[in-house]
Amino acid sequence: MGNLRIVLVEPQTAGNIGSVCRAMKNMGIHDLAIVGARNYDENRILTLALHARDIWHNALRFPDIDAALEDCVFSAGITRRRGKFRKYFSLLPEELAKRVSAIENGTVAAVFGREADGLRDDELARCSVAVHIPSSPDFPSLNLSHAVQIICYELFRCRTPSSVTFQPIKRKDVDKVAATIVDNFDAIGFFKQDEKDEVRIFFHDILTRAALSAKEAKRIEKMFRKMAGIKLHKG
């Protein structure tokens, strides 16, 4: 995550800067750049940043967006607004993450505009691509730090895939679990009529929809064998 930079263009509140620092550090991103000469209440920033204060202390300041992106090989302007002089298309956050994950060398920037009106047309034009975060038309504008958190999360997930992947059992193993359930029901005299196949299909359908892991399947089999064993032993 070391080549990822979050660029804030003229952020308006110190609280949002502090919250952005925390959102970044949660996702392993430490390079923050702030465009503009505005002074901020540092105590407010540090209060909201909490354990991510180092990101603020190491933040870079730039006079304009060109300077902030000068050393970047790729940049994405995060904006919900469309218009005649804006990009022809806009990526989703997950699409951005996939594209960024293929860039091995060079700094990549995610650029966020002002809280009140976002990025201007000329600022978005400086970015390689536009990215939008889908939201409700009833209230489409996201808080700055929330938008940063969503983008950072997608970048983090694409760069650091989970080491634990879930793999449901195969059909033949589902058949085996269903058969185990029915056989142990049969062993304790559960069936009074010719309903064994019907019950087997019933459990097979439930287990298929459940998408069991191998560990879960083994535990279910063990429970039904134990149930039958206890019943037969007491009998």
Side-chain angles (χ1 to χ4, degrees), residues 7 20 35 68 129 133 215:
V7 178
V20 164
V35 173
V129 297
I133 300 172
K215 188 174 181 180

Side-chain angles (χ1 to χ4, degrees), residues 74 162 190:
F74 184 84
S162 175
F190 177 83

Side-chain angles (χ1 to χ4, degrees), residues 117-197:
D117 53 6
L119 294 170
R120 298 194 303 259
D121 292 353
D122 62 308
E123 293 166 340
L124 183 61
R126 303 293 196 279
C127 300
S128 308
V129 297
V131 176
H132 71 282
I133 300 172
S135 57
S136 169
D138 294 334
F139 190 34
S141 181
L142 274 71
N143 175 274
L144 174 61
S145 63
H146 296 174
V148 171
Q149 184 75 80
I150 291 171
I151 296 298
C152 288
Y153 169 76
E154 291 293 347
L155 293 171
F156 177 81
R157 286 288 293 116
C158 208
R159 286 290 182 91
T160 55
S162 175
S163 59
V164 179
T165 56
F166 173 75
Q167 183 64 46
I169 59 175
K170 298 177 181 178
R171 179 184 175 85
K172 65 177 182 179
D173 297 314
V174 175
D175 293 341
K176 181 174 177 290
V177 177
T180 299
I181 293 173
V182 170
D183 289 345
N184 283 283
F185 271 148
D186 195 25
I188 63 174
F190 177 83
F191 301 112
K192 303 303 181 183
Q193 300 178 4
D194 186 17
E195 54 185 339
K196 191 172 180 179
D197 285 341

Side-chain angles (χ1 to χ4, degrees), residues 4-230:
L4 298 174
R5 175 181 297 168
I6 300 300
V7 178
L8 305 183
V9 178
E10 299 181 350
Q12 295 168 277
T13 68
N16 267 334
I17 295 175
S19 296
V20 164
C21 291
R22 185 168 182 175
M24 290 172 59
K25 195 162 187 177
N26 282 150
M27 300 298 132
I29 300 174
H30 297 81
D31 187 354
L32 173 63
I34 296 178
V35 173
R38 179 180 299 200
N39 293 320
Y40 299 97
D41 181 351
E42 188 166 40
N43 288 332
R44 180 62 176 164
I45 292 174
L46 297 178
T47 298
L48 272 295
L50 197 60
H51 299 299
R53 295 169 180 170
D54 56 304
I55 293 181
W56 164 249
H57 290 314
N58 296 320
L60 302 173
R61 298 295 296 264
F62 294 97
D64 52 52
I65 192 171
D66 286 327
L69 301 180
E70 186 177 19
D71 63 338
C72 296
V73 298
F74 184 84
S75 58
I78 317 303
T79 178
R80 68 177 178 84
R81 291 192 293 116
R82 307 301 299 276
K84 181 179 178 180
F85 299 106
R86 299 175 84 77
K87 300 292 185 184
Y88 288 106
F89 68 94
S90 180
L91 300 175
L92 292 169
E94 56 268 31
E95 293 172 330
L96 169 67
K98 289 179 181 178
R99 185 169 295 194
V100 169
S101 68
I103 302 174
E104 297 181 358
N105 299 305
T107 301
V108 174
V111 184
F112 297 82
R114 304 156 191 81
E115 291 92 324
D117 53 6
L119 294 170
R120 298 194 303 259
D121 292 353
D122 62 308
E123 293 166 340
L124 183 61
R126 303 293 196 279
C127 300
S128 308
V129 297
V131 176
H132 71 282
I133 300 172
S135 57
S136 169
D138 294 334
F139 190 34
S141 181
L142 274 71
N143 175 274
L144 174 61
S145 63
H146 296 174
V148 171
Q149 184 75 80
I150 291 171
I151 296 298
C152 288
Y153 169 76
E154 291 293 347
L155 293 171
F156 177 81
R157 286 288 293 116
C158 208
R159 286 290 182 91
T160 55
S162 175
S163 59
V164 179
T165 56
F166 173 75
Q167 183 64 46
I169 59 175
K170 298 177 181 178
R171 179 184 175 85
K172 65 177 182 179
D173 297 314
V174 175
D175 293 341
K176 181 174 177 290
V177 177
T180 299
I181 293 173
V182 170
D183 289 345
N184 283 283
F185 271 148
D186 195 25
I188 63 174
F190 177 83
F191 301 112
K192 303 303 181 183
Q193 300 178 4
D194 186 17
E195 54 185 339
K196 191 172 180 179
D197 285 341
E198 179 188 342
V199 172
R200 179 184 56 77
I201 294 172
F202 171 74
F203 275 103
H204 182 279
D205 290 347
I206 291 176
L207 296 171
T208 300
R209 291 198 303 272
L212 300 174
S213 67
K215 188 174 181 180
E216 290 171 324
K218 288 180 180 178
R219 184 169 185 186
I220 289 175
E221 288 185 289
K222 184 177 179 180
M223 290 171 67
F224 275 88
R225 291 193 187 103
K226 185 175 181 180
M227 173 198 70
I230 292 173

